[in-house]
Amino acid sequence: MTAHATRHAAQDHATQDHDRTGKTVDTETERTHPSAPPADGERMRRWRMVLGADSAESTGCTLTGQDAAMDGALNALYGGGGGKKPGGRGGGGRSAGLGASAPSVARWLGDIRTYFPGSVVQVMQRDAIDRLGLSALLLEPEMLEAVEADVHLVGTLLSLNKAMPETTKETARAVVRKVVDDLEQRLESRTRATLTGALDRSARISRPRHRDIDWDRTIRANLKNYLTIPGTDGGPDTGTVVPERLIGYGRASQSVKKDVILCIDQSGSMAASVVYASVFGAVLASMRTLDTRLVVFDTAVVDLTDQLDDPVDVLFGTQLGGGTDINRALAYCQSKITRPADTVVVLISDLYEGGIRDEMLKRVAAMKASGVQFVTLLALSDEGAPAYDHEHAAALGALGAPAFACTPDLFPDIMAAAIEKRPLPVPDKETGS
């Protein structure tokens, strides 16, 4: 997002601003009532806020008070004219920069959280890390305590895990824990409900005991067998459904019904997917009727199944970055399959294969031929369509394993369809075709 776009987003999210005299201006009302346009001075103030310090002369507008503070926070990141750096240091003629110390950055983080809504804060934080190389400062506890935690920040912290000093690790874990807890609260209940229903439906039998009959589905399946019975002694006719085919659920059991293997690419571009997959892995592992395995890979393969009770431990067991050997990872997963017809393998990868391509495709074909439900996700995140290897995606699609990006909200439906062996609810269009 450009500096102008971020400035505009900050203005667009604000429902009330203050003009230079301190008078409250209801910008939302003005947006929805064009018949009452803002005064020229207010209009120039807004343009000055959107365009930045370089526009001060052309707009003829001088910012004061909170407007000046907001503008300073934006200039510190996106550059512009003179002014002071965060922390009060002078800097005539400076370019974009937040200084080299964690205290000044922490103060800047506090400022943007005061002046802007959370969605804008997260964009500005990511821009600060990407544009100004602030990753090293995330290793300092005082900065982590001030940061607005989100999935992307967790990905950055995980990539810095090996370089993180001991004094910072507990703070970093607390930041990751907050994001993970928020995600679990958002995703767990729907995931459990959706998959529990899918597991029950997949266990339906055609010769159920009386107490296991699903009467609603049985009646609907036998409506063609409706018989009319004439009334007796001049009474009204009655009718009945003859249940030639009974439909029911299998008896409730604590035994495992399905095996799930999550195979996650931990290359740097997959950071958000690793975070979401770890949370989903923990949720699936908590369901007694699922036997869940979580495998992460780059050029090596690591099985983190024994840490699935705590997704934070899973995340800190990953090592983002490095190459990719999908074939080796699938070979490991294939070796763990004991019940092919009751197994779902979910590969989460951008498919940039550094291993043996033909062997990778042969393994997928062999798993599918044995009865494994194979799902290929190019990403598991809220982002848009990811970069991915189109040739490999097309080859998997030809094998009946279409590759597509999936949002966290859609993931339970994808898993439910795989468990029930239904066609996958591929969003819009198969990106792997």
Side-chain angles (χ1 to χ4, degrees):
M1 182 178 284
T2 65
H4 289 172
T6 301
R7 291 174 185 273
H8 184 71
Q11 290 293 304
D12 189 55
H13 278 77
T15 57
Q16 286 193 332
D17 286 329
H18 295 271
D19 67 14
R20 287 171 292 164
T21 64
K23 177 183 176 183
T24 297
V25 179
D26 190 342
T27 58
E28 181 65 27
T29 299
E30 292 176 352
R31 281 196 298 268
T32 56
H33 293 81
S35 60
D40 287 345
E42 172 61 17
R43 184 181 295 109
M44 287 299 100
R45 183 191 74 87
R46 295 186 194 180
W47 276 113
R48 168 63 181 79
M49 290 293 291
V50 169
L51 296 175
D54 293 339
S55 69
E57 184 175 345
S58 62
T59 60
C61 179
T62 301
L63 300 178
T64 60
Q66 180 171 301
D67 286 346
M70 293 172 65
D71 189 60
L74 289 164
N75 282 341
L77 175 57
Y78 297 108
K84 293 185 177 181
K85 294 180 181 181
R89 294 190 295 262
R94 66 172 174 79
S95 60
L98 290 173
S101 72
S104 69
V105 177
R107 283 192 291 273
W108 177 78
L109 288 168
D111 287 344
I112 64 174
R113 291 172 71 179
T114 299
Y115 302 136
F116 304 108
S119 57
V120 174
V121 168
Q122 292 177 5
V123 170
M124 293 178 71
Q125 285 180 170
R126 292 200 293 273
D127 283 352
I129 293 169
D130 294 340
R131 292 164 61 97
L132 305 179
L134 297 185
S135 296
L137 289 180
L138 289 176
L139 302 180
E140 303 194 29
E142 59 265 39
M143 182 176 176
L144 282 178
E145 291 171 356
V147 83
E148 183 82 13
D150 67 355
V151 170
H152 298 280
L153 177 64
V154 170
T156 301
L157 290 177
L158 295 179
S159 68
L160 298 171
N161 183 25
K162 302 303 180 184
M164 196 173 292
E166 290 299 325
T167 54
T168 306
K169 284 188 176 180
E170 285 306 310
T171 306
R173 286 185 71 90
V175 171
V176 174
R177 172 73 63 190
K178 179 181 183 302
V179 174
V180 166
D181 288 347
D182 289 346
L183 290 177
E184 280 193 301
Q185 184 175 3
R186 166 189 158 193
L187 301 171
E188 181 174 15
S189 59
R190 181 170 178 272
T191 300
R192 292 180 67 88
T194 301
L195 297 191
T196 298
L199 287 163
D200 286 343
R201 288 188 293 273
S202 69
R204 282 197 176 101
I205 56 178
S206 59
R207 299 179 63 183
R209 299 187 181 189
H210 184 272
R211 63 183 178 182
D212 295 325
I213 295 174
D214 182 344
W215 286 109
D216 181 63
R217 288 177 59 87
T218 295
I219 291 172
R220 283 189 281 121
N222 289 278
L223 286 176
K224 61 182 179 180
N225 301 322
Y226 183 86
L227 296 178
T228 300
I229 301 174
T232 59
D233 299 328
D237 293 346
T238 58
T240 186
V241 172
V242 178
E244 291 183 353
R245 184 166 66 93
L246 298 177
I247 300 175
Y249 298 104
R251 296 188 64 186
S253 172
Q254 298 304 318
S255 62
V256 172
K257 294 178 180 176
K258 294 288 181 179
D259 297 336
V260 175
I261 301 177
L262 300 178
C263 186
I264 308 167
D265 183 344
Q266 62 175 351
S267 58
S269 60
M270 301 297 293
S273 298
V274 172
V275 176
Y276 280 114
S278 298
V279 172
F280 277 118
V283 173
L284 298 181
S286 69
M287 300 177 66
R288 287 177 292 181
T289 51
L290 290 176
D291 184 6
T292 303
R293 182 176 296 275
L294 188 143
V295 176
V296 298
F297 68 93
D298 41 35
T299 53
V301 180
V302 181
D303 193 325
L304 298 175
T305 303
D306 60 349
Q307 299 177 37
L308 269 176
D309 59 330
D310 188 344
V312 175
D313 286 342
V314 169
L315 289 171
F316 277 95
T318 63
Q319 184 174 340
L320 293 176
T324 308
D325 193 336
I326 302 173
N327 177 56
R328 174 177 291 185
L330 292 181
Y332 177 81
C333 294
Q334 193 175 21
S335 72
K336 299 300 179 181
I337 296 173
T338 58
R339 305 188 304 152
D342 293 314
T343 299
V344 178
V345 174
V346 182
L347 172 65
I348 304 174
S349 173
D350 55 17
L351 301 180
Y352 288 110
E353 170 66 318
I356 306 173
R357 174 185 183 272
D358 291 342
E359 287 295 318
M360 174 190 77
L361 296 175
K362 286 179 182 178
R363 292 191 189 281
V364 175
M367 282 189 272
K368 286 189 63 64
S370 69
V372 171
Q373 295 297 108
F374 195 93
V375 179
T376 310
L377 300 181
L378 300 170
L380 176 58
S381 70
D382 288 309
E383 308 302 317
Y388 64 96
D389 189 305
H390 290 255
E391 183 180 350
H392 289 165
L396 287 170
L399 294 175
F404 56 95
C406 173
T407 63
D409 289 337
L410 181 61
F411 184 75
D413 297 322
I414 297 290
M415 290 301 300
I419 286 171
E420 295 182 66
K421 301 184 178 180
R422 293 186 282 107
L424 301 180
V426 179
D428 294 329
K429 161 181 188 182
E430 295 175 9
T431 55
S433 59

